[in-house]
């Protein structure tokens, strides 16, 4: 890897409610790099992101997560967020708090400017309880907005292109691109790959199957294989 | 007393009673020009026929022992707003107990003339010790009139309080009542009663923070006495420690064509905090629409985890969720009051996790 690793996943095993989901994942994301992780449903994509974020249901049984040269395996999610990791959830829970109030609190915490959100077309959503009755596209935009306010050095996006209208996808891609251009590292998870062609760059693509990464390579190559053969092309050997 | 930054920067009049007998009355010059009367109830009963015509008509002195105590003393505020008067500034009353062994039993009468519109802010607070507050309040909202009544209570753990409020809303009138309890109290027992005449409407919200060993038994009774009357009654309780809260509510339809909704929702922040939600509906005639909703529970772990992933620690996450939970009915309040209520709710959300 050319750049110094910002995030290093070392032989990670993760269990959720006693069931092993990740079975030895190795992955490195360098500074300013954009990684796209492909995988079929249930392969462990979301589990990997939530484990990196430190959500309590995701138990690391083996291996380590190194971020900015230190193990973060034992840290609670808020400390990981403050170290510079942000996750835009795929299915965030509805909250009894207005988007505006959550955004203001996050902005205060990270000393960021609410104007960061101007381009995401959120005005109509601001007075609504976060994610309550939001459409797919609205949820993705709100998730990206809150992630932006965290001024992350690593932005993780969980299926930003699933269940999204074309306009929202373009808005999301544009905002992600401006982060990429400013040097933020990105780890993006996708099932379909729809968003990848809208990104200004992709450093490396990975395919995860049944809890382990089975392929690393060029994103165009992965897309081509998926279009031709589907995920069976990457079946774990 | 930091949380009682609940003074509008300007008011039309402030009636303040400290303990049993000290009264301070600050009246804006403008008030007299408008014909608004704010005076001691004893004096009003002597001087003003309208006071005598309205006192003890909505509640009888024999109602219970607390009302009886207030009727014996006959101290409190008398407020009269003439028909059609709509001042921009609010009126304010304040009842404060500064020392122990005080029995503050007051009787207030508020008359809002036909077509008038007024905001009334009331703060009741205690600084120390074992004492009792009884507030009997009779309120008349005239035809087509509107009263916005915002109340904040902040007592102490040894305090007993038994407010008795009865409101009559005449044809086409509107009542917006917003009640907030912020601090621990030994007992708070209140069941305000609102009578709605034809085509009148009410929006009543009660927000309780139950802390320490507080025992709160609070509810609202709405009687729909006239066709077309509408009401929405919302209660939210945030309970902690060993507190015990009973959220009651009763919608009683006495006339057809009325519509009412009652909501009692409780949030438990400690396993030892008890909440009972007892909503009730009485449809005594046909052709009515009464609904209720009740729920009690703790904050979902998923919500906390989510906010922690956004960089908030657990306490901050709980506080933010509490703040969202109590944000109810703000849109019914006039702009002048909204800002102050928001500040109070911010304080409530902070105190809920302190």
């Amino acid at each position: 890897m050319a750049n110094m690793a910002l995030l290093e996943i070392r032989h990670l095993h993760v269990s959720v409610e006693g069931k092993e989901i990740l079975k030895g994942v190795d992955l490195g994301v360098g500074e300013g790099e954009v990684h796209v992780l492909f995988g079929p449903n249930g392969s462990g994509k979301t589990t990997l992101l939530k484990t990196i974020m430190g959500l309590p249901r995701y138990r690391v049984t083996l291996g380590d997560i190194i971020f900015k040269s230190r193990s973060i395996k034992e840290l609670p999610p808020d400390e990981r967020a403050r170290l510079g990791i942000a996750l835009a959830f795929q299915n965030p829970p509805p909250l009894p708090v207005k988007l505006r109030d959550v955004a203001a609190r996050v902005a205060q915490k990270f000393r960021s400017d609410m104007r960061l959100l101007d381009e995401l077309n959120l005005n109509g959503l601001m007075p609504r309880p976060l994610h309550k009755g939001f459409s797919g596209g609205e949820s993705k935009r709100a998730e990206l907005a809150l992630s932006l306010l965290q001024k992350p050095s690593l932005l993780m996006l969980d299926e930003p292109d699933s269940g999204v209208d074309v306009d929202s996808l373009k808005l999301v891609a544009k905002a992600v691109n401006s982060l990429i251009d400013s040097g933020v590292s990105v780890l993006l998870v996708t099932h379909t790959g729809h968003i990848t062609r809208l990104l200004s760059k992709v450093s490396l693509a990975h395919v995860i199957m049944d809890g382990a990464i089975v392929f690393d390579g060029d994103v165009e190559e992965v897309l081509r294989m998926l279009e031709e053969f589907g995920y069976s092309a990457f079946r774990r050997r | 007393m930091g949380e009682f930054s609940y003074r509008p920067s300007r008011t039309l009049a402030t009636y303040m009673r400290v303990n049993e007998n000290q009264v301070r009355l600050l009246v804006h010059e403008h008030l007299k020009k408008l014909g608004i009367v704010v005076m001691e109830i004893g004096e009003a009963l002597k001087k003003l026929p309208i006071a005598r015509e309205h006192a003890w008509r909505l509640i009888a002195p024999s109602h219970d022992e607390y009302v009886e105590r207030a009727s014996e003393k006959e101290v409190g505020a008398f407020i009269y707003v003439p028909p059609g008067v709509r001042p921009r500034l609010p009126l304010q009353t304040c009842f404060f107990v500064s020392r122990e062994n005080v029995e503050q039993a007051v009787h207030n009468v508020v008359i809002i003339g036909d077509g008038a519109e007024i905001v009334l802010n009331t703060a009741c607070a205690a600084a120390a010790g074992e004492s009792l507050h009884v507030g009997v309040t009779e309120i008349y909202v005239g035809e087509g009139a509107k009263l916005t009544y915002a109340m904040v209570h902040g007592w102490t753990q040894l305090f007993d309080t038994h407010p008795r409020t009865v409101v009559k809303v005449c044809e086409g009138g509107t009542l917006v009542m917003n009640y907030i309890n912020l601090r621990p109290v030994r007992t708070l027992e209140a069941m305000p009663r609102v009578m709605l005449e034809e085509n009148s409407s009410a929006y009543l919200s009660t927000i309780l923070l139950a802390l320490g060993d507080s025992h709160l038994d609070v509810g609202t009774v709405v009687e729909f006495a006239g066709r077309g009357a509408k009401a929405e009654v919302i209660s939210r309780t945030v309970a902690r420690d060993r507190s015990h809260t009973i959220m009651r509510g009763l919608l009683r339809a006495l006339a057809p064509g009325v519509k009412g909704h009652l909501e009692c929702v409780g949030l438990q922040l400690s396993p030892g905090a008890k909440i009972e939600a007892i909503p009730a509906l009485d449809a005594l005639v046909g052709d009515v629409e009464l609904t209720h909703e009740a729920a009690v529970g703790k904050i979902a772990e998923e919500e906390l985890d989510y906010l922690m992933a956004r960089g908030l620690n657990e306490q901050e996450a709980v506080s933010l969720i509490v703040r969202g939970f109590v944000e109810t009915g703000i849109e019914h309040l006039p702009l002048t009051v909204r800002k102050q209520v928001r500040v109070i709710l911010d304080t409530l959300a902070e105190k809920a996790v302190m």
Side-chain angles (χ1 to χ4, degrees):
Chain A
M1 207 157 295
N3 297 321
M4 211 180 75
L6 178 71
L7 172 77
E8 224 187 298
I9 309 288
R10 289 182 190 159
H11 205 62
L12 193 69
H13 288 251
V14 174
S15 292
V16 181
E17 282 155 14
K19 189 177 178 235
E20 185 166 67
I21 308 288
L22 297 186
K23 302 162 183 171
V25 171
D26 290 284
L27 180 73
V29 178
E31 284 187 18
E33 290 181 350
V34 178
H35 289 238
V36 177
L37 180 65
F38 289 86
N41 291 330
S43 58
K45 305 187 294 292
T46 296
T47 296
L48 178 61
L49 297 192
K50 287 189 168 174
T51 305
I52 296 169
M53 197 67 244
L55 295 175
R57 283 177 62 238
Y58 299 80
R59 212 163 57 81
V60 174
T61 52
L62 203 65
D64 207 348
I65 305 167
I66 311 293
F67 183 70
K68 292 184 177 168
S69 311
R70 61 179 281 203
S71 171
I72 58 166
K73 202 171 66 169
E74 305 295 334
L75 297 181
D78 56 317
E79 284 182 37
R80 300 189 198 196
R82 291 200 293 275
L83 278 176
I85 302 177
L87 170 62
F89 284 64
Q90 183 192 2
N91 294 311
L95 292 180
V97 190
K98 290 173 185 165
L99 170 58
R100 181 192 293 118
D101 296 337
V102 178
R105 196 73 186 81
V106 173
Q108 183 192 29
K109 196 88 198 171
F110 291 88
R111 295 173 188 197
S112 48
D113 193 332
M114 292 281 272
R115 277 176 296 190
L116 278 174
L117 313 184
D118 284 353
E119 287 196 5
L120 283 166
N121 187 21
L122 293 167
N123 285 343
L125 293 180
M126 282 294 187
R128 289 173 51 190
L130 181 56
H131 299 308
K132 232 171 227 175
F134 280 26
S135 71
E138 288 170 341
S139 244
K140 304 291 176 198
R141 280 188 280 132
E143 278 302 286
L144 185 64
L146 294 169
S147 304
L148 288 179
L149 291 174
Q150 291 175 234
K151 297 194 288 192
S153 38
L154 173 67
L155 172 64
M156 301 191 291
L157 298 149
D158 195 353
E159 304 217 16
D161 48 2
S162 71
V164 184
D165 55 287
V166 180
D167 292 336
S168 284
L169 186 62
K170 281 186 179 158
L171 278 175
V172 167
K174 194 177 165 205
V176 172
N177 282 335
S178 70
L179 280 180
I180 292 173
D181 297 343
S182 71
V184 171
S185 302
V186 171
L187 176 55
L188 185 150
V189 152
T190 178
H191 175 76
T192 60
H194 286 145
I195 196 170
T196 52
R197 284 180 173 138
L198 298 171
L199 296 179
S200 56
K201 76 167 181 188
V202 176
S203 315
L204 200 58
H206 314 268
V207 177
I208 186 170
M209 302 279 283
D210 191 26
I213 288 177
V214 295
F215 181 88
D216 305 290
D218 179 64
V219 67
E220 282 305 322
E221 193 184 344
V222 174
L223 284 172
R224 196 174 44 75
M225 286 173 78
L226 279 180
E227 275 157 18
E228 208 160 320
F229 308 109
Y231 279 104
S232 61
F234 301 98
R235 194 145 315 275
R236 207 175 172 184
R237 283 173 287 273
Chain B
M1 296 299 295
E3 63 268 30
F4 284 98
S5 49
Y6 190 64
R7 350 168 241 277
S9 50
R10 291 163 69 209
T11 60
L12 212 48
T14 299
Y15 171 100
M16 182 164 179
R17 172 171 289 273
V18 180
N19 301 328
E20 287 104 334
N21 294 317
Q22 303 163 29
V23 174
R24 203 170 280 179
L25 192 55
L26 302 167
V27 174
H28 199 287
E29 268 309 297
H30 191 51
L31 178 123
K32 287 173 193 156
K33 276 186 221 154
L34 294 171
I36 297 175
V37 178
V38 178
M39 65 166 73
E40 195 40 50
I41 183 82
E43 190 189 347
L45 288 173
K46 276 184 212 135
K47 289 185 183 164
L48 305 174
I50 194 167
R52 288 192 292 275
E53 283 158 20
H54 288 79
W56 302 115
R57 297 297 158 94
L58 296 182
I59 189 166
S62 59
H63 181 84
D64 63 25
E65 56 164 316
Y66 299 108
V67 180
E68 207 170 327
R69 286 190 210 193
S71 75
E72 283 159 11
K73 295 187 177 175
E74 210 58 277
V75 296
F78 173 79
I79 294 172
Y80 170 70
V81 181
V85 171
R86 297 178 172 193
R88 201 175 49 83
L89 293 173
L91 296 171
Q92 177 171 268
T93 59
C94 181
F95 297 90
F96 182 56
V97 175
S98 69
R99 54 184 165 77
E100 282 182 69
N101 299 316
V102 171
E103 184 181 305
Q104 192 181 57
V106 301
H107 175 214
N108 309 305
V109 175
V110 178
I111 304 166
I112 315 297
D114 295 347
E117 235 181 89
I118 190 93
V119 175
L120 177 61
N121 294 330
T122 295
C124 298
E130 194 160 351
S131 283
L132 172 75
H133 170 90
V134 177
V136 178
T137 304
E138 297 179 273
I139 299 176
Y140 296 84
V141 180
E143 289 182 12
K146 181 176 182 181
L147 170 65
T148 302
Y149 188 21
M151 263 169 294
V152 185
H153 278 185
W155 307 107
T156 66
Q157 189 62 72
L158 295 173
F159 213 91
D160 297 305
T161 180
H162 301 267
R164 298 287 182 265
T165 302
V166 188
V167 189
K168 179 180 174 183
V169 186
C170 298
E171 190 176 340
T174 305
L175 171 70
V176 176
M177 218 153 78
N178 184 284
Y179 172 74
I180 301 172
N181 180 62
L182 268 186
R183 295 203 334 208
V185 58
R186 187 162 56 198
T187 43
L188 163 60
E189 181 249 326
M191 194 80 171
R193 191 169 138 232
V194 176
M195 291 177 281
L196 296 175
E197 296 198 333
E198 212 168 291
N199 293 320
S200 63
S201 59
Y203 184 91
L204 314 166
S205 63
T206 301
I207 296 160
L208 305 172
L209 177 60
L211 298 173
D213 294 299
S214 295
H215 181 91
L216 311 179
D217 186 343
V218 179
T220 310
V221 179
V222 178
E223 288 176 2
F224 300 81
R227 183 181 279 278
K230 284 187 298 229
E232 202 177 337
V233 182
I234 309 285
S235 296
R236 298 273 161 97
T237 296
V238 179
R240 224 186 64 182
D241 311 322
R242 298 152 308 277
S243 63
H244 182 192
T245 306
I246 306 171
M247 283 189 279
R248 297 179 199 272
L250 170 62
L251 304 183
R252 175 173 286 152
L254 306 168
V258 303
K259 192 174 171 180
H261 179 68
L262 171 62
E263 193 182 303
C264 303
V265 186
L267 188 61
Q268 288 166 301
L269 298 187
S270 316
K274 281 185 278 185
I275 299 178
E276 295 172 60
I278 313 175
L281 308 175
D282 278 359
L284 303 179
V285 291
D287 185 27
V288 300
E289 196 183 323
L290 300 181
T291 54
H292 78 68
E293 189 184 327
V296 176
K298 58 175 187 152
I299 295 176
E301 269 171 41
E302 208 191 4
E303 295 175 11
L304 286 183
D305 293 344
Y306 174 83
L307 288 174
M308 288 180 73
R310 294 261 163 252
L312 309 188
N313 65 35
E314 192 173 340
Q315 211 179 31
E316 292 164 338
V318 170
S319 181
L320 187 62
I321 290 171
V322 167
R323 182 65 185 83
F325 177 74
V326 295
E327 173 93 14
T328 178
I330 300 282
E331 68 281 4
H332 293 271
L333 298 172
L335 285 171
T336 48
V337 187
R338 228 179 265 185
K339 209 167 147 192
Q340 294 151 21
V341 169
R342 283 217 168 96
V343 171
I344 291 167
L345 295 178
D346 289 345
T347 307
L348 186 150
E350 280 165 27
K351 290 173 91 71
V353 295
M354 250 165 23

